C-alpha cells in the first residue's frame, strides 16, 4: 500500500516558550514553503493548463462549499496559469474514522477519464466531535495538540483528502480548510516539503511541460513525484497503486 504520511498536513500547538517556533512550523506545514516572487516570475510556466479533480463528498459537505474551496485554490494556482476544476464523483459516508481508512478506500479506485486526480472531502461527524474533545483535554493538560488535516499519497501524488469542515476555535486560529487544500494541492502537483518554494516552482514547470509532450495520454494532466518519477497516463498510476 502506498505511503501518504510523508505528505500530510498536520496541526501542532505549543505552550508559551514554544509559541513562536510553533507559528513558524504552522506556516511551513500549511503553505509547503515560503514564496519568492522574484524567483517565481523568472520561471516560464507555459500556457494555461486545466486539471480535473474528481471529488468525493462526505455526507454533510455540499457542492457549494466545494466550489468555494476550489475558488480559493484557483487564486493560488493562477500564479502558474493553472486552473483546477471539481468533477463531482460521488457522495458517501466516511469509509472509516482514520486517514488510513480513507486511503484504503481511495486505493480501490482506478483513475479513469476525466479524472486527473481524486480528492476526498472529509466532513464532521459525531466521532470527530468526541475526538476533538479528547485532544482538547490533552492540549489543556500538556500543551500539545496533534491533528492531521489532510494528506496525499507519496507514491503517485494522484489521490488525497482534506478535512473540509473546521469548528474548533483552536483549528480556525491556526489553519483553515482553504489553507489545507492549497497545501495538499501543491503535493498533488508533485511538490514536497521545503523551506522556500523554488524547487516547487521548478516541479510545476516540469509537470506542465510533461503535459504537452506527445507521449502523455491525451486529455490527462500527468504526475511527477519529487524524486522525478513520471506518470504519463492513468494506466501507469493505476498499476503503481
Amino acid at each position: 500500500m502506498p505511503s501518504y504520511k510523508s505528505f500530510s498536513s498536520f496541526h501542532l500547538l505549543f505552550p508559551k516558550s514554544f509559541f513562536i517556533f510553533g507559528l513558524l512550523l504552522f506556516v511551513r506545514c500549511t503553505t509547503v514553503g515560503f514564496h519568492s516572487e522574484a524567483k517565481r516570475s523568472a520561471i516560464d510556466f507555459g500556457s494555461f493548463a486545466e486539471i480535473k479533480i474528481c471529488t468525493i463528498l462526505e455526507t454533510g459537505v455540499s457542492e457549494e462549499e466545494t466550489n468555494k474551496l476550489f475558488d480559493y485554490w484557483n487564486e493560488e494556482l493562477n500564479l502558474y496559469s493553472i486552473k483546477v476544476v471539481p468533477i463531482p464523483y460521488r457522495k458517501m459516508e466516511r469509509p472509516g474514522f482514520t486517514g488510513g481508512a480513507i486511503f484504503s478506500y481511495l486505493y480501490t479506485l482506478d483513475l479513469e477519464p476525466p479524472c486527473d486526480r481524486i480528492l476526498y472531502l472529509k466532513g464532521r461527524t459525531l466521532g470527530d466531535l468526541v475526538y476533538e474533545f479528547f485532544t482538547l483535554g490533552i492540549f489543556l493538560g500538556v500543551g500539545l495538540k496533534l491533528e492531521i488535516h489532510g494528506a496525499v499519497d507519496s507514491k503517485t501524488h494522484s489521490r488525497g483528502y482534506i478535512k473540509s469542515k473546521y469548528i474548533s476555535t483552536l483549528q480556525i486560529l491556526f489553519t483553515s480548510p482553504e489553507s489545507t487544500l492549497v497545501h495538499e494541492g501543491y503535493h498533488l502537483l508533485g511538490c514536497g516539503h521545503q523551506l522556500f518554494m523554488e524547487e516547487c516552482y521548478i516541479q510545476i514547470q516540469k509537470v506542465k511541460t510533461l503535459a504537452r509532450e506527445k507521449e502523455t495520454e491525451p486529455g490527462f494532466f500527468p504526475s511527477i513525484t519529487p524524486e522525478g518519477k513520471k506518470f504519463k497516463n492513468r494506466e501507469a498510476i493505476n498499476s503503481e497503486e
Side-chain angles (χ1 to χ4, degrees), residues 50-68:
E50 188 174 272
I51 308 175
K52 298 173 289 298
I53 311 291
C54 285
T55 56
I56 301 173
L57 307 186
E58 188 172 296
T59 302
V61 180
S62 69
E63 291 186 16
E64 180 181 2
E65 290 172 316
T66 302
N67 290 333
K68 288 181 179 179

Side-chain angles (χ1 to χ4, degrees), residues 61 64-74 121 162 164 177-178 181:
V61 180
E64 180 181 2
E65 290 172 316
T66 302
N67 290 333
K68 288 181 179 179
L69 286 171
F70 271 70
D71 287 343
Y72 186 91
W73 188 7
N74 276 319
L121 299 183
I162 69 160
S164 64
E178 291 84 0
L181 180 56

Side-chain angles (χ1 to χ4, degrees), residues 226-240:
E227 296 74 29
K229 187 167 185 177
K230 300 177 181 180
F231 295 92
K232 299 181 181 181
N233 54 64
R234 296 178 177 89
E235 182 181 358
I237 286 178
N238 294 335
S239 62
E240 191 75 18

Side-chain angles (χ1 to χ4, degrees), residues 4 32 58 66 68 72 78 93 99 108 160 165 179 216 222:
Y4 66 90
V32 179
E58 188 172 296
T66 302
K68 288 181 179 179
Y72 186 91
N78 187 54
E93 298 287 341
T108 68
K165 284 184 177 290
S179 62
T216 299

Side-chain angles (χ1 to χ4, degrees), residues 14 44 51 53 68 77 91 114 120-121 136 141 185 192 196 213:
F14 296 89
D44 181 7
I51 308 175
I53 311 291
K68 288 181 179 179
L77 293 180
K91 294 185 179 182
Y120 183 97
L121 299 183
L136 179 59
F196 297 101
E213 292 185 359

Side-chain angles (χ1 to χ4, degrees), residues 112-125:
E112 299 178 342
C115 307
D116 296 321
R117 307 287 191 272
I118 299 177
L119 180 68
Y120 183 97
L121 299 183
K122 180 181 173 184
R124 196 165 185 265
T125 66

Side-chain angles (χ1 to χ4, degrees), residues 179-192:
S179 62
T180 299
L181 180 56
V182 168
H183 175 95
E184 302 305 336
Y186 276 115
H187 294 325
L188 287 171
L189 289 172
C191 296

Side-chain angles (χ1 to χ4, degrees), residues 22-43:
L23 286 179
L24 292 175
L25 185 59
F26 280 126
V27 171
R28 189 178 187 281
C29 290
T30 58
T31 64
V32 179
F34 292 101
H35 274 295
S36 171
E37 185 175 350
K39 292 181 178 180
R40 187 180 65 244
S41 61
I43 296 176

